[in-house]
């Protein structure tokens, strides 16, 4: 793939140390039908860092990303993105966050270009037509712009979804298994994106199994096990244990109602 | 650009996207139309063959067929968003929730309008009703009815999209709410066809307008809560 | 304890009003004894509408405050409301048979509106039943409750218009009892019945709410338990 500069345009971000932490969570928990997917995570991610979320299936990586993306609401606990409350200021958080999930959220019957054009409109991208073409080129799908997404391979869909992220101005990018289903060129694209985002100061959270490939781009690592933080390493991220005090406080609160 | 214009543009973009996907892949509008035609035929079988009796009941048939087919139509519009998690992605854009509702409802309105006009013509033919004479008030009634069904249907389709027993819950929730619209639309149609002898057409149309406005506002205000989990 | 007193008072009041309504108050000149059922019928209808108003309002409070206790109130309102609605419809039909000659009269706005009310809230309860997650259930129920509540006045007006435009002269009308020009003894009995029924309604609502709230608390405690055991299962970092 030719080495072109990828066009990422986040909001104007200041220097590292002047910015508030990108993500702060306090005992963040989420239950599904009574089962805790996330059992109490207290993390702090510094702005502009790239952090890897590690852990087995069911450890809570996807749940954490979905919570931060405002796709789901927390059951307990609080979180702030760029200082904005996840629960009460969700619409403002949405303006700052981009999320690549397992599902691509693309419309099968529309072409690649039409999908991006629609996304650009929804995201409020300035200069839509040019940006869409640029994004298509940056992810290597310029020659497939007219093809219906229905006929795309899983890898191509993922690339298109990454192209959609390029259309926004997120300061926090959440990637759930970005390397899955990608071929060599696709993985190189992800590496280029990570480099581009780091340069501009975008904070990136990557949930992944296979991290060796992305090691050079990652500042810190968080290991999740059964909905809790098991281990934190590297720079740019720190964590505290879910405090027993807060748990019994809640118990008290329920008992006295 | 003012907020209203921007939001209207976004809503239309959503509707346009639905129309594009619909036209290209799904052929659902056509099958919904045929469903309405089949319903009309069955009415004829069930309540015929006396032409006078059928002609008198025709306005009722018209609106029942439109409402039943409408249930299918709004259901389909929400199924469009099950393409690989598209609804979740749609909810993540920095777009006001009422705009998403409006976009879906506009798409629904377009389908309902086509449905209403076609069924109107079919009723004219099948039950020997002279629609040409009163075409304007009939068209107005169809437009107002389409708005109401789209507004209510889009809302309930959103409520039931991930619900168990969706196929029965959507009509079960939607139909009682539509009762006043059904009443008003049928009464207006009867009045229009008869040349409005009692001067009641205006009152029924006003009822439809009131229903439409109230339901659009209620739907837009509450739809957003469905998109957060 | 206070609730128990309320229940006792309510029971006494309803019993007393029933006796008065059946035996003490004179029968209507035109409608005869059949008119007596109007007292509990109208009272039930009024409380049915009140219940659903409470459901809609509690739903809105849930959406605003996110406290599941509001949802418990909404549930109580819907269930009690369905009960009173069913009774009101039954009463209406029992009155209709001797007066109109038929059990059902389509153009009676109160009867048809109440029937639709029943359909709307049975749908509401079914929707609740089909959703497992407590917060999602509360949200779905709240918005459906709001739309249903908004629909009811429209239904009422539309059916009234329906009746008015056809001008069918009904020999017996339920309005006789509600007419302010009616004899004082009728109005008094109606108000008395209304008061008694409202006391009963209050008692039922409180009890049903207490049950629903206990469910909420139990679910909450179970959730926290599972959360805590998930935490303690982890080796400390």
């Amino acid at each position: 793939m030719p080495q072109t500069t990828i066009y990422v345009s986040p909001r104007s971000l200041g220097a590292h140390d002047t910015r508030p932490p990108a993500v702060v969570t306090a005992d963040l928990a989420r239950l599904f039908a009574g089962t805790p997917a996330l059992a109490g995570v207290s993390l702090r991610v510094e702005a502009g860092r790239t952090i890897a979320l590690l852990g087995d299936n069911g450890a809570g990586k996807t749940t954490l990303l979905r919570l931060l993306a405002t796709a789901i609401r927390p059951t307990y606990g609080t979180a702030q993105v760029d200082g904005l409350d996840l629960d009460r200021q969700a619409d403002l958080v949405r303006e700052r966050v981009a999320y690549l999930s397992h599902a691509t959220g693309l419309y099968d019957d529309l072409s690649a270009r039409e999908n991006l054009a629609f996304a650009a409109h929804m995201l409020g991208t300035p200069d839509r037509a040019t940006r869409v073409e640029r994004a298509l080129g940056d992810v290597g799908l310029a020659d497939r712009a007219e093809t219906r997404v229905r006929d795309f391979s899983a890898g191509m869909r993922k690339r298109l979804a990454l192209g959609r992220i390029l259309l926004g101005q997120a300061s926090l990018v959440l990637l759930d298994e970005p390397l899955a289903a990608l071929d060599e060129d696709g993985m190189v694209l992800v590496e280029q994106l990570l480099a581009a985002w780091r340069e501009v100061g975008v904070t990136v959270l990557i949930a992944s199994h296979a991290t060796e490939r992305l090691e050079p781009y990652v500042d810190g690592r968080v290991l999740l096990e059964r909905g809790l933080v098991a281990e934190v390493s590297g720079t740019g991220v720190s964590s505290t244990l879910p405090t027993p005090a807060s748990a019994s406080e809640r118990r008290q609160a329920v008992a006295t109602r | 650009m003012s907020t209203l214009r921007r939001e209207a543009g976004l809503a239309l973009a959503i509707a346009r996207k639905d129309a594009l996907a619909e036209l290209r892949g799904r052929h659902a509008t056509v099958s919904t139309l045929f469903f309405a035609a089949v319903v009309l035929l069955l009415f004829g079988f069930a309540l015929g063959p006396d032409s006078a009796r059928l002609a008198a009941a025709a306005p009722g048939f018209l609106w029942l067929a439109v409402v039943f087919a409408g249930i299918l139509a709004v259901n389909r519009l929400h199924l469009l968003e099950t393409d690989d998690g598209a609804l979740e992605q749609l909810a993540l854009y920095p777009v006001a929730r009422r705009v998403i509702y409006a976009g879906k409802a506009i798409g629904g309105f377009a389908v309902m309008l086509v449905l209403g006009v076609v069924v109107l013509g079919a009723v004219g033919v099948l039950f020997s009703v002279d629609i040409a004479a009163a075409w304007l008030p009939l068209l107005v009634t169809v437009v107002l009815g389409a708005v109401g069904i789209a507004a209510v249907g889009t809302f309930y389709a959103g409520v039931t999209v991930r619900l168990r027993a969706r196929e029965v819950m959507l009509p079960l929730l939607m139909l009682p709410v539509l009762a006043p619209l059904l009443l008003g639309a049928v009464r207006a149609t009867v009045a229009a066809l008869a040349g409005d002898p009692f001067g009641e057409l205006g009152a029924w149309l006003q009822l439809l307008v009131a229903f439409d406005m109230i339901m659009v506002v209620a739907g837009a205000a509450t739809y957003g809560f469905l998109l957060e989990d | 304890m206070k609730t128990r007193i309320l229940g006792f008072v309510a029971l006494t009041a309803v019993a007393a009003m029933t006796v008065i309504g059946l035996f003490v108050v004179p029968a209507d000149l035109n409608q005869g004894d059949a008119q007596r059922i109007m007292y509990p019928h109208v009272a039930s209808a009024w409380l049915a509408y009140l219940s659903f108003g409470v459901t809609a309002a509690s739903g809105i409070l849930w959406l605003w405050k996110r406290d599941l206790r509001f949802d418990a109130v909404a549930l109580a309102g819907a269930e009690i409301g369905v009960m009173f609605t069913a009774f009101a419809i039954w009463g209406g039909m029992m009155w209709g048979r001797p007066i109109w000659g038929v059990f059902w009269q389509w153009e009676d706005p109160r009867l048809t509106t109440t029937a639709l009310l029943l359909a709307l809230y049975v749908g509401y309860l079914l929707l609740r039943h089909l959703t497992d997650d407590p917060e999602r259930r509360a949200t779905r129920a709240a918005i459906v409750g709001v739309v249903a509540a908004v629909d009811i006045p429209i239904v009422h007006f539309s059916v009234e218009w329906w009746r008015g435009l056809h001008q069918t002269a009904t020999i017996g009308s339920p309005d006789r009892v509600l007419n302010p020009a009616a004899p004082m003894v009728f109005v008094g009995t109606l108000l008395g019945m209304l008061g008694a029924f409202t006391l009963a309604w209050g008692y039922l609502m409180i009890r049903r709410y207490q049950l629903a709230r206990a469910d909420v608390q139990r679910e909450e405690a179970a959730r926290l338990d599972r959360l805590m055991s998930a935490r303690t299962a982890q080796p400390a970092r």
Side-chain angles (χ1 to χ4, degrees):
Chain A
M1 272 193 39
Q3 277 292 95
T4 55
T5 336
I6 298 187
Y7 187 73
V8 292
S9 66
R11 327 181 143 256
S12 49
L13 304 166
H16 272 213
D17 20 0
T18 61
R19 291 159 64 191
V23 175
V24 177
T25 74
D27 276 345
L28 191 62
R30 168 74 201 203
L31 289 96
F32 289 109
T35 322
L38 213 62
V41 166
S42 304
L43 276 181
R44 184 192 162 101
V45 176
E46 302 302 331
R49 299 295 189 181
T50 301
I51 307 296
L53 287 180
L54 311 169
D56 292 331
N57 288 332
K61 311 190 295 292
T62 301
T63 307
L64 178 59
L65 290 183
R66 289 181 75 200
L67 281 165
L68 293 173
T70 73
I72 53 181
R73 285 167 152 253
T75 314
Y76 299 114
T78 59
Q80 286 88 42
V81 170
D82 276 357
L84 297 165
D85 188 84
L86 208 58
D87 215 5
R88 261 166 281 140
Q89 296 169 292
D91 43 347
L92 290 173
V93 170
R94 253 172 242 133
E95 290 175 16
R96 286 165 163 72
V97 174
Y99 173 48
L100 176 76
S101 82
H102 289 295
T104 55
L106 296 166
Y107 296 102
D108 276 342
D109 292 303
L110 267 48
S111 72
R113 179 178 284 125
E114 284 163 348
N115 264 286
L116 286 192
F118 176 71
H121 199 154
M122 294 293 115
L123 289 165
T125 317
D127 213 12
R128 279 206 292 270
T130 327
R131 288 287 299 274
V132 166
E133 295 311 313
R134 184 71 202 249
L136 284 169
D138 283 342
V139 297
L141 288 173
D143 52 343
R144 308 296 225 105
E146 302 284 317
T147 318
R148 307 256 173 99
V149 166
R150 180 184 293 285
D151 300 324
F152 271 21
S153 68
M156 290 160 71
R157 283 169 186 251
K158 190 142 257 181
R159 285 211 219 174
L160 192 57
L162 287 167
R164 182 175 56 211
I165 296 182
L166 289 175
L167 291 171
Q169 0 170 38
S171 55
L172 172 65
V173 171
L174 308 166
L175 304 174
D176 202 343
E177 306 283 356
L179 297 182
L182 285 180
D183 57 3
E184 178 60 29
D185 277 347
M187 297 204 218
V188 168
L189 170 66
V190 172
E191 291 172 338
Q192 289 176 324
L193 286 171
L194 291 177
W197 280 322
R198 159 169 290 158
E199 200 171 301
V200 191
V202 170
T203 316
V204 181
L205 254 63
I206 313 174
S208 184
H209 282 129
T211 53
E212 303 82 35
R213 175 108 195 198
L214 300 176
E215 265 310 303
Y217 302 92
V218 163
D219 294 313
R221 281 148 231 96
V222 175
L223 174 65
L224 290 176
E225 259 177 40
R226 268 178 279 145
L228 294 168
V229 174
E231 196 180 306
V232 166
S233 59
T235 57
V237 61
S238 57
S239 143
T240 52
L241 279 173
T243 53
S246 53
S248 66
E249 268 165 39
R250 276 205 294 279
R251 268 226 159 98
Q252 280 288 81
V254 169
T256 53
R257 267 195 213 155
Chain B
M1 193 194 295
S2 79
T3 315
L4 189 62
R5 275 193 65 193
R6 195 176 59 87
E7 288 193 351
L10 287 165
L12 284 171
I14 294 174
R16 216 178 304 129
K17 179 262 302 174
D18 280 344
L20 213 53
E22 186 71 19
L23 283 170
R24 288 220 190 127
R26 316 261 165 171
H27 312 294
T29 316
V30 172
S31 40
T32 313
L33 283 171
F34 271 107
F35 173 75
V38 167
V39 168
L40 287 177
L41 279 174
L42 287 183
F43 278 138
F45 274 111
L47 286 108
D50 186 307
S51 320
R53 187 161 80 143
L54 287 177
F61 296 160
L62 163 64
W63 284 102
L64 280 173
V66 168
V67 165
F68 288 148
I71 295 172
L72 296 182
V74 294
N75 192 32
R76 285 225 60 87
L77 276 174
H78 264 80
L79 282 180
L80 273 177
E81 302 291 345
T82 56
D83 259 359
D84 207 16
L87 186 62
E88 183 170 276
Q89 175 59 54
L90 190 61
L92 291 183
Y93 289 126
V95 160
R97 316 282 89 177
R98 59 178 177 273
V99 169
I100 301 178
Y101 170 75
K104 290 259 154 228
I106 291 173
F109 168 70
V111 172
M112 293 310 304
L113 189 60
V114 169
L115 199 59
V117 167
V118 169
V119 173
L120 183 62
V123 163
V125 165
L126 285 174
F127 304 115
S128 312
V129 173
D130 182 16
I131 55 176
W135 71 272
L136 183 58
L138 286 174
L139 187 61
V140 170
T141 310
V142 166
V143 167
L144 291 175
V147 171
I149 299 175
V152 171
T154 303
F155 172 74
Y156 282 106
V159 169
T160 55
V161 73
R162 274 175 300 187
L163 189 65
R164 304 203 310 255
R166 176 167 43 87
E167 297 77 15
V168 74
M169 285 307 288
L170 178 58
L172 191 145
L173 291 173
M174 224 175 108
L175 292 176
V177 174
L178 285 177
L181 177 133
L182 187 63
L183 180 62
V186 171
R187 290 288 114 211
T189 307
V190 167
L193 287 173
D196 200 15
F198 304 115
E200 54 178 308
L201 180 62
W204 291 115
L205 290 179
Q206 272 175 42
L207 172 71
L208 289 178
V209 169
F211 181 89
D212 288 350
M213 288 196 323
I214 292 173
M215 285 304 160
V216 166
V217 168
T222 52
Y223 185 80
F225 292 105
L226 290 168
L227 294 174
E228 49 189 56
D229 198 348
Chain C
M1 190 54 206
K2 278 184 285 188
T3 317
R4 218 174 276 184
I5 297 174
L6 173 63
F8 193 68
V9 170
L11 186 62
T12 318
V14 170
M17 287 316 302
T18 307
V19 167
I20 294 174
L22 279 176
F23 303 115
V24 177
V25 165
D28 182 76
L29 286 172
N30 287 349
Q31 299 177 16
D33 277 323
Q35 181 262 355
R36 295 183 191 275
I37 202 163
M38 272 296 119
Y39 301 121
H41 164 78
V42 170
S44 299
W46 154 243
L47 288 165
Y49 284 90
L50 179 65
S51 300
F52 297 132
V54 166
T55 298
S58 301
I60 294 175
L61 283 168
W62 150 258
L63 291 173
W64 183 23
K65 294 286 188 188
R66 296 277 153 182
D67 188 336
L68 278 172
R69 284 174 294 177
F70 289 120
D71 185 55
V73 175
L75 172 61
E79 286 190 359
I80 308 284
V82 165
M83 209 182 77
F84 278 102
T85 309
F87 184 69
I89 292 177
W90 177 85
M93 295 201 307
M94 290 302 108
W95 177 86
R97 190 69 171 89
I99 302 297
W100 294 322
V102 289
F103 282 114
W104 199 267
Q105 177 69 267
W106 280 100
E107 286 167 343
D108 181 69
R110 270 170 282 261
L111 201 56
T112 32
T113 309
T114 315
L116 254 125
L117 194 69
L118 188 64
L120 283 169
Y121 286 97
V122 167
Y124 172 94
L125 289 173
L126 280 171
L127 176 68
R128 290 190 66 105
H129 187 68
L130 287 167
T131 313
D132 296 321
D133 184 73
E135 280 95 8
R136 208 188 280 183
R137 177 174 57 215
T139 300
R140 273 186 187 153
I143 62 180
V144 166
V146 164
V147 172
V150 157
D151 192 52
I152 287 301
I154 309 178
V155 172
H156 186 90
F157 283 126
S158 64
V159 183
E160 240 181 39
W161 258 335
W162 197 17
R163 177 180 67 170
L165 291 170
H166 283 246
Q167 260 136 20
T168 47
T170 40
I171 307 159
S173 160
D175 283 337
R176 274 190 71 83
V177 166
L178 299 173
N179 189 337
M184 269 312 294
V185 78
F186 287 172
V187 175
T189 314
L190 180 63
L191 288 175
M193 188 67 89
L194 193 58
F197 265 53
T198 307
L199 287 173
W201 175 85
Y203 174 74
L204 290 168
M205 278 294 292
I206 293 175
R207 282 292 183 229
R208 187 62 188 90
Y209 164 67
Q210 285 171 339
L211 283 170
R213 186 185 57 184
D215 279 337
V216 166
Q217 286 172 332
R218 206 179 327 117
E219 259 177 29
E220 180 81 353
R223 278 212 298 207
L224 280 174
D225 263 341
R226 250 171 264 135
L227 202 61
M228 293 308 130
S229 54
R231 286 189 188 178
T232 50
Q234 281 285 82
R237 182 173 77 87

